[in-house]
Amino acid sequence: MSDKARSLFEALDLNGDGLLTREEVIVALRTRGPSLAAAGVIPSWGVQDADASSALFDAADQDGDAALTFEEFTAVVDRRFGWS
């Protein structure tokens, strides 16, 4: 698990409960994505529209419970962003 994934997870966890919902991922990437990319937290191509953010969520939600744990999230973003 990368430090970059941890930083991104924490930036997307808008309510700080340790889980990500689809809405949090979409809203956070839309509102914070450009500044996260500028800070080097995510690659610039990682800032995408709501449909792409929703697809990222679906790919990571391995157990289908509509909430992402850090482990589920990391398994996808480390691979997708080349951090592993």
Side-chain angles (χ1 to χ4, degrees), residues 5 11 24 40-41 50 80 84:
E24 278 180 309
V41 175
R80 184 163 294 181
S84 59

Side-chain angles (χ1 to χ4, degrees), residues 4-84:
K4 288 183 178 185
R6 171 60 70 188
S7 294
L8 181 55
F9 186 88
E10 290 172 358
L12 300 181
D13 187 10
L14 299 176
N15 66 4
D17 68 353
L19 295 172
L20 298 178
T21 64
R22 179 183 311 277
E23 183 176 346
E24 278 180 309
V25 171
I26 292 169
V27 169
L29 283 175
R30 187 178 64 234
T31 60
R32 297 180 176 179
S35 62
L36 292 171
V41 175
I42 58 174
S44 59
W45 57 265
V47 180
Q48 302 175 356
D49 63 18
D51 290 338
S53 298
S54 188
L56 173 70
F57 183 91
D58 289 337
D61 189 16
Q62 297 172 7
D63 60 9
D65 67 352
L68 301 182
T69 64
F70 176 67
E71 291 76 17
E72 286 176 312
F73 179 78
T74 300
V76 170
V77 298
D78 273 350
R79 185 175 59 249
R80 184 163 294 181
F81 295 153
W83 294 340
S84 59

